[in-house]
Amino acid sequence: MASSLRTRRGGARLRTVALIGIDGSGKTTQAHLLAEALTAAGHRATYHRNAGGRRWLGRLAQRVGRPDAQRLVGRDGLLVVESVLRWLAIALALLSCLATGRTAVMDRWSVCQYASIRAHGGQRWERLARAGYRIFPPPRVTILLTVDPAEAYRRIERRGTDHESMRWLTAADAAYRALPEYAGFVVVDGSGPPEEVSRRIRAHLSEWLPDDPSTVAGPSPDGTPRPSGGGRDGPVPAQARP
């Protein structure tokens, strides 16, 4: 299977790679590291943060005496604002990379909005969101970083810049796994030190990072063999597109 996928792709260019997952899964850290790794390997890449503005709205809500963004603009209002702001961010990122010829490393993608809509219980908005986002070509690779919601909660609390409830994180985690696109995601374990998670991600992009020692099969520093492929966490990009 791995050989077949690589043969069909040939030397296809990695134009867009998206990192998605619940808040606290490490998307931003890993997107920055991946953009640096690709650039170092000769594939000029740019990091793009496609936020929906929920954190900013949350801070605004607290300033005016509301507990969170949803209490400020309502559930439906929040979903509309998120959808529009994320759409604009993705559009600008793609236009920028089209103009510069760089690879776009996307911190969040349209599927993040679909998961947000489902986690908020606003499924009736999903059809409209999908219609609006359909204009964007899908990333060549979409990496879903998975982490236990409890660990994600601890990470968010440690960074101290915002707050998410366990209820929300659990709902968002379930929403990503229920998306119809889930079967095409490259699922990567986001737990552990950032350097280890980065190694796992780069292993899935061995076609574009051929000189990365972490993608080469063989003994690891402790003498145990490294996996050379297969499985959910092996080096086969499940959403590589010709």
Side-chain angles (χ1 to χ4, degrees):
M1 176 66 75
S3 175
S4 176
L5 285 172
R6 290 194 179 97
T7 299
R8 291 204 307 270
R9 288 197 309 268
R13 178 182 170 189
L14 182 66
R15 294 185 180 275
T16 308
V17 56
L19 283 85
I20 63 173
I22 64 174
D23 198 11
S25 61
K27 299 183 299 296
T28 299
T29 297
Q30 294 304 324
H32 277 295
L33 291 174
L34 180 56
E36 293 171 1
L38 287 168
T39 299
H43 306 283
R44 294 188 309 157
T46 303
Y47 165 91
H48 296 274
R49 185 172 184 267
N50 303 315
R54 191 159 59 94
R55 185 180 300 181
W56 174 81
L57 281 173
R59 292 172 180 168
L60 177 62
Q62 292 180 351
R63 289 178 183 175
V64 298
R66 301 293 180 88
D68 54 40
Q70 187 165 327
R71 301 290 182 86
L72 177 67
V73 296
R75 186 198 67 180
D76 290 348
L78 176 60
L79 293 177
V80 170
V81 171
E82 270 192 345
S83 297
V84 171
L85 291 180
R86 201 183 309 279
W87 190 97
L88 290 172
I90 292 174
L92 289 173
L94 291 175
L95 286 173
S96 172
C97 287
L98 182 64
T100 62
R102 288 176 172 268
T103 295
V105 179
M106 300 293 200
D107 176 359
R108 300 171 178 84
W109 185 250
S110 59
V111 290
C112 296
Q113 193 57 41
Y114 309 151
S116 178
I117 290 171
R118 292 188 176 204
H120 277 104
Q123 281 82 348
R124 68 189 184 93
W125 291 102
E126 186 176 340
R127 182 178 297 180
L128 290 175
R130 287 182 176 276
Y133 284 98
R134 194 172 294 136
I135 188 175
F136 301 131
R140 186 170 295 280
V141 182
T142 299
I143 296 171
L144 173 63
L145 289 172
T146 60
V147 65
D148 186 271
E151 172 59 22
Y153 180 86
R154 287 189 289 270
R155 291 180 179 181
I156 295 168
E157 291 299 300
R158 282 198 299 268
R159 73 191 183 198
T161 58
D162 57 337
H163 174 76
E164 297 290 358
S165 69
M166 272 296 299
R167 180 179 179 182
W168 160 257
L169 292 170
T170 302
D173 180 65
Y176 274 108
R177 298 174 189 275
L179 289 174
E181 293 88 353
Y182 178 76
F185 297 157
V186 173
V187 180
V188 174
D189 182 4
S191 59
E195 296 78 10
E196 174 63 18
V197 178
S198 178
R199 184 198 66 78
R200 296 170 192 160
I201 291 172
R202 295 195 308 269
H204 287 279
L205 300 175
S206 58
E207 178 182 351
W208 298 279
L209 296 168
D211 297 325
D212 188 335
S214 69
T215 66
V216 179
S220 62
D222 63 3
T224 59
R226 284 196 179 100
S228 60
R232 272 302 222 178
D233 206 32
V236 181
Q239 197 174 333
R241 298 176 182 273

